[in-house]
Amino acid sequence: MAMTRREAFKTLAKGSLPLLAAGCVSTVLPEVAHAEEEKIEAPKGALGLLYDATRCVGCKSCMVACSQANDLKPDTTTDGIHQAPPALNYRTKNIIKLYRTADGSDHSYFKQQCMQCIDPGCMNACMFGGLRKDPETGVVWWKGTKCVGCRYCEIACSFHIPAFQWDGVNPKIVKCELCRDPIQKGLRKQPGCTEVCPTQAVIYGRREDLLKEAKSRIAANPGKYFEQRVYGEHDAGGTQVLYLSRVSFDKIGLPNVGEESIPSGLKYSHMLYKWLALPVALYAGMVAFAGKNFKEHSHHLVEDQKKTGLRPQL
Amino acid sequence: MTRWERSVPVYGIPVITRGFWALCALIAVGLVLTVVREVVGLGGSISGMSDPFAWGLWKTFNVMVLTGLGSGGFAVGIAAWVFNNKKLHSVMRVALLTSFLAYSTGLIMLGVDVGRPWNFYWVAWLPTWNLHSPLLEIAVCMSLYASVPLFLENLPPLFEYLIYEHPKWRGFALGCEKAMKSVYPFIVGLAYILPIMHQSSLGALMILGGNRVNTLWQTPFLPLLYVWAAAFLGYNCVVLCLLLAKLAWKRDLDPSVLLELNKLTVWTVYSWTAFRFLEILFRGKILHVFTDGYLSILFWVETALILGSAYVLSTEKAKKISTMFQAHAVCALGGMIYRFSPTTLAFHAKEGATYFPSAIELIVSLSFVAIAVLAYLVAVKKLAILPGSNEEWLKMAKYEEQAKPGIQLTGYAPVEH
């Protein structure tokens, strides 16, 4: 069938529509182009904690100090017992637990709070940036006006940190933000937990300095620390909160998650979306085939109508 | 046995039946409980969710599983329009309707599930989008799909209804139909690319679950397996709807179309299963299919249900309607379990943590399914959705023209190009 010039223009115009759309989308979404993964480094001024489980005496004063510093209401989730929560929750950003073997031969206290990942799963999961990383300090914090309450952050955190407020009409996501808010307001110099710790089991500072300190402790005490290494230096792509322990890390709530960050699992998916090229090409291809088949189908419908006298259906 | 030539409404049966009222009652209870949930929150006895199991039935079943079942619109559509499988045009309307109902109720369910829905308006403001988030991809793509291409694809039966039964609107409907025809390939293209994207992103969601999702399910290819499973679930759902129409309203069946759908189901399942096993093998985790206790059993249950029923569908036995029905139902069950497992059954949330839905979660979840079922039952009786023969249409026309004097269902439209 010969094509008139008019038809040719029409086809051309229709065919270029998807391309035009693609152009618009990739201009509006420049980040799509940068979807490829590279190892993410901690910001220069990254702040963090160093918790040495061998120094902790389990006094829980850090838990009280945390509640005070963050204006958290008393946690009475365990049968009304004050400040004895079984796990982190929306009223408890910091908790001290005890690992103990059944026969009591071995034990260790351990502290749990947000690990301030360098490449956080929660932040990658969050749709509109409700969880975000401070560009200077690397602290991961929650911005309520961008949070939809989908709780994907809880699924995406290997450390079980973000907690959802299950009651009420205005629920929040609660997690340790290294006392970012009170420190910014000038109300305090360091987080509640590190300020009160009587044995300096948990200390606050720049991640770089903390890492040095941790390594010097390992060097000074050969054989004392588990695997002679700092948990968080590389684990989960690196965290800003670092741990030293005598007992194995998985006994004190630090899962063996490997050195890849959680979001790096998505790198293949991101590749497929690079420049949105693949989806757009697929779309254009399907439109082309569907267009051709649609023409043929419409033709059949008209033929059928001539035969049956019934109105064609799309 | 007959040939499906056009869609014909179910006629001669009242819309309002006892079942209609039963569904309405369930929906009413569900809506009341939804209001309670909005006021009280998700804690206490409202839901069984907790911080370790932050996602419950509303996301994992109503969205993850049921939109898979509602994937007929794109799975059958691609076969029909892109791969030019002409037989399948007759069942497109059923596929599109089930898809639309599954997606729209799933999306509303999402709105009920999230804690701070008022912040969702950010979806309209591109700079806030976190392009790394699979959930963002789903939120954007799924709502776009349901509200634009899928919605438009479902309009022709409605236009037809206006053309035949409401002369006042006839001109308007004819105009809309014509406009739709001129851009139809662009609409269907969108209706296939968007589900491919978000159905795979549903799998990508659980990639961020890391090693808490058992290794038999957790893979970088989870997105591919999810969208693939959605395809055969879509075929299952469409066939089940067609066979149920036979059971409920004695609609005639066209064996050639059903066998075509069986064939598609069988090959989708075979390739899916082969890929799943090879992927586990090449990842070096094949021994886990025996060593992971009840999760290994779950893996084999999924495989047996899906693969076993596909095998039955590939044999001569499947020509028997009851066998075909059972095979598709079992296959759908297996596929639904597969889509559900990574989120809950094979998700090791935390030592000692368990999830079981609360009564309220269950009732609300079912009431949203009931909304879809009710809408389906009304739609197939009012609109030309279910496939039938031209003869059936003439019978229907005779019946309707007697019941409603003044309408004309045959010989109306002029031949046009």
Side-chain angles (χ1 to χ4, degrees):
Chain A
M1 195 168 65
M3 203 184 243
T4 66
R5 193 181 301 177
R6 197 184 131 89
E7 277 170 345
F9 269 124
K10 247 176 141 177
T11 317
L12 204 65
K14 277 183 184 171
S16 56
L17 263 177
L19 291 176
L20 200 70
C24 292
V25 171
S26 43
T27 329
V28 180
L29 312 176
E31 283 158 80
V32 176
H34 305 295
E36 83 190 85
E37 301 301 300
E38 28 189 273
K39 173 123 172 74
I40 295 171
E41 300 291 337
K44 278 244 149 43
L47 293 170
L49 303 173
L50 169 61
Y51 173 76
D52 188 336
T54 63
R55 293 190 179 194
C56 180
V57 292
C59 70
K60 292 193 181 187
S61 42
C62 57
M63 288 174 65
V64 180
C66 174
S67 296
Q68 275 180 344
N70 292 291
D71 276 333
L72 297 170
K73 283 191 184 154
D75 191 335
T76 50
T77 39
T78 317
D79 298 334
I81 303 171
H82 177 58
Q83 297 297 50
L88 294 177
N89 59 49
Y90 76 96
R91 284 184 176 174
T92 302
K93 295 181 175 187
N94 170 37
I95 194 170
I96 294 291
K97 291 185 183 174
L98 171 66
Y99 154 71
R100 190 166 173 272
T101 50
D103 59 359
S105 61
D106 195 15
H107 80 278
S108 171
Y109 291 106
F110 62 99
K111 183 175 183 296
Q112 284 183 321
Q113 75 296 304
C114 176
M115 301 291 286
Q116 316 291 351
C117 299
I118 290 170
D119 186 13
C122 60
M123 190 178 101
N124 270 266
C126 191
M127 286 195 278
F128 304 126
L131 283 164
R132 43 185 62 206
K133 213 166 158 62
D134 189 302
E136 277 163 38
T137 63
V139 172
V140 182
W141 61 287
W142 181 72
K143 185 166 173 159
T145 52
K146 296 281 167 70
C147 171
V148 180
C150 69
R151 310 183 295 284
Y152 190 20
C153 49
E154 301 198 73
I155 302 284
C157 178
S158 298
F159 303 100
H160 311 287
I161 303 302
F164 182 72
Q165 179 183 342
W166 293 96
D167 301 307
V169 288
N170 183 16
K172 296 172 176 55
I173 292 287
V174 180
K175 64 181 267 309
C176 164
E177 298 174 358
L178 282 184
C179 288
R180 179 180 180 271
D181 201 35
I183 290 174
Q184 266 186 352
K185 284 184 185 152
L187 295 174
R188 51 173 55 251
K189 291 260 183 307
Q190 57 171 313
C193 58
T194 56
E195 192 177 56
V196 298
C197 183
T199 57
Q200 304 264 297
V202 60
I203 55 174
Y204 173 70
R206 279 159 39 108
R207 180 176 190 264
E208 235 171 278
D209 302 337
L210 296 172
L211 197 56
K212 250 184 237 161
E213 167 66 19
K215 284 182 173 168
S216 71
R217 284 188 204 174
I218 293 173
N221 302 282
K224 179 178 178 187
Y225 292 110
F226 178 68
E227 287 181 347
Q228 313 292 323
R229 73 180 186 98
V230 191
Y231 188 97
E233 186 182 6
H234 302 297
D235 303 76
T239 58
Q240 291 177 210
V241 172
L242 305 168
Y243 277 76
L244 284 173
S245 169
R246 185 179 50 76
V247 303
S248 102
F249 292 127
D250 62 340
K251 298 277 192 288
I252 61 164
L254 298 170
N256 182 16
V257 288
E259 296 196 350
E260 295 257 311
S261 71
I262 298 298
S264 67
L266 284 172
K267 61 185 166 209
Y268 303 107
S269 312
H270 288 318
M271 265 184 237
L272 294 178
Y273 282 94
K274 201 180 175 189
W275 288 107
L276 276 181
L278 190 63
V280 169
L282 215 57
Y283 174 67
M286 288 194 293
V287 168
F289 279 106
K292 185 176 147 282
N293 297 331
F294 181 69
K295 220 170 191 178
E296 197 188 317
H297 184 69
S298 307
H299 189 71
H300 276 294
L301 286 179
V302 173
E303 293 295 307
D304 278 353
Q305 185 187 13
K306 278 180 194 154
K307 260 185 265 165
T308 61
L310 295 175
R311 199 168 181 280
Q313 291 177 325
L314 187 60
Chain B
M1 289 296 176
T2 169
R3 207 162 75 85
W4 283 338
E5 291 151 320
R6 55 173 38 244
S7 295
V8 186
V10 175
Y11 61 98
I13 291 166
V15 171
I16 295 169
T17 57
R18 258 181 299 174
F20 179 90
W21 288 117
L23 287 170
C24 281
L26 178 56
I27 293 167
V29 174
L31 291 183
V32 169
L33 291 176
T34 305
V35 173
V36 172
R37 170 263 170 276
E38 291 296 343
V39 175
V40 181
L42 287 167
S45 53
I46 302 290
S47 86
M49 290 183 261
S50 58
D51 282 324
F53 274 107
W55 282 359
L57 218 49
W58 296 345
K59 277 205 188 81
T60 57
F61 176 71
N62 289 64
V63 179
M64 291 274 219
V65 172
L66 290 187
T67 62
L69 214 51
S71 289
F74 95 87
V76 182
I78 288 181
W81 284 118
V82 178
F83 292 99
N84 206 18
N85 194 329
K86 293 185 190 112
K87 278 181 189 162
L88 298 180
H89 287 300
S90 58
V91 298
M92 271 312 289
R93 286 186 173 187
V94 182
L96 291 170
L97 181 64
T98 53
S99 288
F100 181 71
L101 295 173
Y103 271 85
S104 48
T105 51
L107 280 166
I108 302 168
M109 196 73 254
L110 264 186
V112 175
D113 176 90
V114 299
R116 306 165 66 83
W118 53 87
N119 279 337
F120 192 69
Y121 66 89
W122 287 113
V123 76
W125 182 235
L126 268 73
T128 62
W129 288 10
N130 172 17
L131 295 167
H132 290 281
S133 169
L135 195 60
L136 187 270
E137 205 278 324
I138 291 165
V140 172
C141 262
M142 214 181 239
S143 35
L144 192 67
Y145 171 58
S147 60
V148 183
L150 186 57
F151 176 73
L152 291 176
E153 279 185 301
N154 271 289
L155 286 179
L158 217 58
F159 292 150
E160 224 171 279
Y161 175 76
L162 291 177
I163 288 167
Y164 285 126
E165 310 223 352
H166 294 271
K168 246 197 273 176
W169 291 94
R170 190 170 289 161
F172 170 75
L174 282 169
C176 289
E177 206 177 48
K178 206 174 162 196
M180 175 100 77
K181 273 182 188 162
S182 67
V183 289
Y184 203 64
F186 295 94
I187 296 172
V188 296
L190 212 54
Y192 307 149
I193 189 68
L194 292 177
I196 289 175
M197 284 162 71
H198 65 236
Q199 283 296 333
S200 58
S201 287
L202 283 173
L205 280 182
M206 293 321 290
I207 287 181
L208 285 187
N211 57 10
R212 280 176 298 158
V213 178
N214 182 280
T215 187
L216 291 173
W217 286 267
Q218 182 64 285
T219 140
F221 291 98
L222 198 58
L224 181 64
L225 285 164
Y226 253 58
V227 67
W228 210 328
F232 69 76
L233 277 170
Y235 297 137
N236 291 147
C237 179
V238 171
V239 174
L240 288 173
C241 283
L242 293 167
L243 296 181
L244 281 172
K246 156 99 180 163
L247 197 70
W249 306 301
K250 305 200 168 49
R251 300 283 297 212
D252 290 326
L253 296 176
D254 182 339
S256 70
V257 178
L258 289 172
L259 290 178
E260 193 66 30
L261 282 165
N262 284 357
K263 212 165 79 187
L264 279 172
T265 312
V266 168
W267 288 109
T268 316
V269 167
Y270 281 178
S271 53
W272 180 84
T273 312
F275 183 86
R276 193 178 180 204
F277 270 89
L278 286 174
E279 196 278 327
I280 294 172
L281 183 70
F282 280 108
R283 212 152 29 87
K285 305 285 184 190
I286 196 71
L287 282 180
H288 286 264
V289 303
F290 301 114
T291 57
D292 282 7
Y294 88 92
L295 288 176
S296 298
I297 297 171
L298 179 65
F299 175 86
W300 285 111
V301 168
E302 281 175 6
T303 308
L305 293 178
I306 297 170
L307 195 61
S309 51
Y311 172 72
V312 172
L313 283 176
S314 73
T315 60
E316 287 291 304
K317 280 184 213 147
K319 285 192 174 155
K320 208 175 141 201
I321 303 300
S322 58
T323 313
M324 194 194 300
F325 184 85
Q326 286 157 7
H328 276 286
V330 170
C331 188
L333 179 68
M336 287 162 81
I337 297 175
Y338 171 74
R339 301 259 305 194
F340 185 69
S341 291
T343 65
T344 312
L345 301 173
F347 185 65
H348 181 73
K350 199 176 184 179
E351 211 53 60
T354 53
Y355 166 75
F356 195 81
S358 71
I360 293 181
E361 262 178 299
L362 274 167
I363 296 170
V364 172
S365 171
L366 286 178
S367 74
F368 273 77
V369 177
I371 294 175
V373 173
L374 186 72
Y376 178 83
L377 293 178
V378 173
V380 296
K381 288 174 185 170
K382 286 282 177 194
L383 308 172
I385 303 286
L386 288 166
S389 58
N390 285 333
E391 204 181 326
E392 183 83 21
W393 178 275
L394 293 173
K395 272 195 243 163
M396 183 275 302
K398 208 167 158 195
Y399 179 90
E400 291 289 328
E401 282 163 3
Q402 261 174 4
K404 292 180 242 173
I407 67 158
Q408 192 191 352
L409 292 161
T410 50
Y412 155 72
V415 178
E416 51 173 332
H417 242 294

